[in-house]
Amino acid sequence: MAEYQLTRSETAFTRAKECFPGGVNSPVRALGSVGGTPFFTVRGHGAEIHDADGHSYVDMVLAYGPLILGHGHPRVAEALHEAVEDGWSYGTPTLLETNLANRVRNFFPSMEKMRFVNSGTEATMSAIRLARGATGRDLTVKFEGCYHGHVDSLLVKAGSGALTHGHPDSGGVPTSIAETTLLAPFNDLEAVQALFERHGAQIASVILEPVAGNMGVIPPLPGFLEGLRALCDEHQSILIFDEVMTGFRVHRGGAQALYGVVPDLTCLGKVIGGGLPVGAFGGRADIMNHLAPEGSVYQAGTLSGNPLSMVAGCATLEVLEDTPIFDRLEERAAVLAQGLQTVADEDGIEMCVQQVGTMLTPFFQAGPVHRLGDVSASNFERFALFFHGMRREGVSIPPSQYEAWFLATTHDSTICDRVVSAARAVMAADIIPGT
Ligand code: KE4
């Protein structure tokens, strides 16, 4: 019998495992919950991503959100080519940072002042420290299944990769730190009320993904965000919207624009760097002014505001300032979500597609999904079959039921039709109703 020939990605994965734990630099990329070997990417172009074995896929991951303009957008590429001619790291202030801050504020007017960092994790870590410093309180309220990056005190019942690998409570986080985090189920206002009744005077902040994306896409129930706003006002706690994922994704102005609830602080990342390393946190000036060098809350970063991320972010937001582009993108996401739902319904496959703006998640269950406990009722085996079937059909989706799919401006109706056709083929071939 002919010897099996390893694919280039399989060989690359073997070599990567000699360098990195699990062969990856971020756990979700290791396909832990669906099995198999991740493909190794050699390039991305437009709506597609291409692997080391010559396969092309419609990319519904888009680097987990940043690439709202797709891969290699000419405006972003041009901005980077030009910027590189002037050097790419200075350790001094530059006008590039001010330009991006002003563009961000056009979309998020609640960010009276802000600070750039290099990841979403840095943004949320800094925001909760700032909230503690500004209030003199120690406790943070977070929600089960929400993921805010790998911040020690927020890796408690966290979502995304932490859930995918079944470790929502990470090793290495001292109990003394985990105890500063109070937990409530997402969409459960009464549970938060009870926490405030018991700990109100010690609660520095409430942080949440205003639309959850790291346990799959779960919108807030009517009144939930408004209720959190009222509780924070009543107890002088700081309301933090982690819009690292939802920013520019659920609405041009994020969830705060979509639902009309204004947080005290906002965390951003992903889209504002156009795919380069970036994060930002900002909000009320009276809170932000507690930050060094004006105030006592220390936060710093060698590469904060780095020129290449700033120009890539500016070029990206410049394109998004053209409103119709975003509106058309949202429409296509809704059509795609409906297309996936229809295919599942026609095939008698239990699926509940939840979509907000340009992000969506097909849950393999009847739904609706309102909180983490609901997600665990999904058919994870089916999800794994679906994942591998879609890859075979030329569509790359996130390798976990706990992740969100993303669209880019490059995902025109033809591309979206390809995704629906692929889903139809997979459901017909790989997924047996009732199993
Ligand atoms: P980063 O540190 O990964 O840039 O951002 C952390 C973060 C913070 N807040 C929210 C709402 C986020 O979604 C994230 C990161 N999202 C995941 C995807 N679910 C990043 C992918 C990964 O961990 O590899």
Side-chain angles (χ1 to χ4, degrees):
M1 184 162 76
E3 192 181 316
Y4 174 73
Q5 287 300 313
L6 283 174
T7 65
R8 288 204 177 105
S9 285
E10 287 166 335
T11 305
F13 198 36
T14 303
R15 288 178 54 196
K17 284 177 184 171
E18 294 160 10
C19 305
F20 315 115
V24 293
N25 283 297
S26 197
V28 70
R29 304 175 188 171
L31 307 193
S33 76
V34 292
T37 299
F39 62 73
F40 276 57
T41 300
V42 292
R43 69 186 179 89
H45 185 74
E48 293 192 328
I49 194 166
H50 307 273
D51 76 10
D53 292 283
H55 304 127
S56 300
Y57 310 90
V58 172
D59 187 3
M60 301 309 293
V61 181
L62 294 168
Y64 291 93
L67 300 176
I68 197 164
L69 303 183
H71 291 276
H73 191 280
R75 291 270 282 279
V76 179
E78 182 191 354
L80 287 168
H81 285 310
E82 276 176 24
V84 156
E85 295 305 316
D86 298 330
W88 47 81
S89 212
Y90 311 121
T92 70
T94 66
L95 265 177
L96 301 174
E97 295 148 89
T98 310
N99 292 348
L100 182 57
N102 286 321
R103 284 189 189 278
V104 167
R105 209 159 33 192
N106 287 340
F107 290 91
F108 290 85
S110 70
M111 296 176 80
E112 295 169 354
K113 284 199 175 176
M114 68 185 80
R115 175 160 292 177
F116 289 118
V117 293
N118 296 286
S119 69
T121 296
E122 270 193 85
T124 58
M125 172 179 69
S126 309
I128 61 172
R129 180 187 310 135
L130 174 62
R132 291 198 190 103
T135 59
R137 302 174 179 181
D138 292 343
L139 304 184
T140 306
V141 174
K142 84 171 284 286
F143 295 87
E144 293 165 3
C146 281
Y147 177 71
H148 304 289
H150 58 92
V151 185
D152 271 358
S153 63
L154 298 179
L155 278 177
V156 181
K157 277 268 186 272
S160 184
L163 266 177
T164 299
H165 293 268
H167 306 295
D169 304 303
S170 170
V173 177
T175 308
S176 59
I177 289 183
E179 283 170 348
T180 64
T181 302
L182 305 175
L183 278 172
F186 191 71
N187 273 323
D188 187 340
L189 199 53
E190 283 178 17
V192 183
Q193 213 137 15
L195 291 174
F196 268 102
E197 279 158 15
R198 188 155 169 220
H199 305 281
Q202 284 81 44
I203 295 175
S205 66
V206 174
I207 185 169
L208 75 156
E209 298 175 61
V211 173
N214 286 290
M215 45 180 151
V217 174
I218 303 179
L221 289 172
F224 179 57
L225 300 180
E226 295 81 354
L228 295 179
R229 177 68 277 171
L231 281 168
C232 285
D233 289 344
E234 182 186 345
H235 295 271
Q236 290 84 47
S237 298
I238 290 173
L239 181 58
I240 304 174
F241 276 7
D242 176 354
E243 299 227 45
V244 167
M245 184 187 286
T246 55
F248 307 94
R249 278 280 174 201
V250 298
H251 183 284
R252 301 169 75 246
Q256 55 198 271
L258 181 61
Y259 297 103
V261 175
V262 181
D264 302 303
L265 293 178
T266 297
C267 300
L268 296 175
K270 297 182 191 274
V271 168
I272 63 166
L276 271 73
V278 74
F281 63 103
R284 282 172 33 199
D286 64 307
I287 297 173
M288 289 300 289
N289 289 337
H290 284 271
L291 208 54
E294 292 207 19
S296 69
V297 179
Y298 196 69
Q299 187 282 333
T302 302
L303 297 177
S304 295
N306 74 88
L308 299 189
S309 295
M310 297 297 104
V311 295
C314 272
T316 300
L317 299 197
E318 202 177 326
V319 174
L320 289 181
E321 278 157 9
D322 175 4
T323 308
I325 280 191
F326 191 87
D327 297 343
R328 283 198 299 273
L329 184 53
E330 267 195 300
E331 285 157 20
R332 282 204 295 278
V335 169
L336 174 57
Q338 188 50 58
L340 294 170
Q341 188 66 63
T342 303
V343 167
D345 295 347
E346 285 170 352
D347 276 23
I349 307 282
E350 262 200 346
M351 178 190 269
C352 162
V353 184
Q354 297 194 166
Q355 170 251 337
V356 183
T358 68
M359 49 197 256
L360 63 94
T361 296
F363 291 98
F364 277 85
Q365 58 160 283
V369 180
H370 294 313
R371 57 187 58 80
L372 179 61
D374 296 343
V375 182
S376 39
S378 303
N379 187 325
F380 290 86
E381 294 69 35
R382 268 191 183 172
F383 178 84
L385 285 171
F386 185 67
F387 170 83
H388 288 291
M390 290 296 272
R391 198 159 101 169
R392 185 191 65 237
E393 295 294 329
V395 178
S396 172
I397 67 172
S400 168
Q401 177 69 96
Y402 296 111
E403 294 292 347
W405 299 20
F406 299 99
L407 268 80
T409 50
T410 47
H411 289 47
D412 59 19
S413 48
T414 305
I415 292 280
C416 292
D417 290 347
R418 266 175 65 183
V419 176
V420 174
S421 302
R424 181 176 288 111
V426 172
M427 290 198 197
D430 302 70
I431 295 175
I432 319 303
T435 54

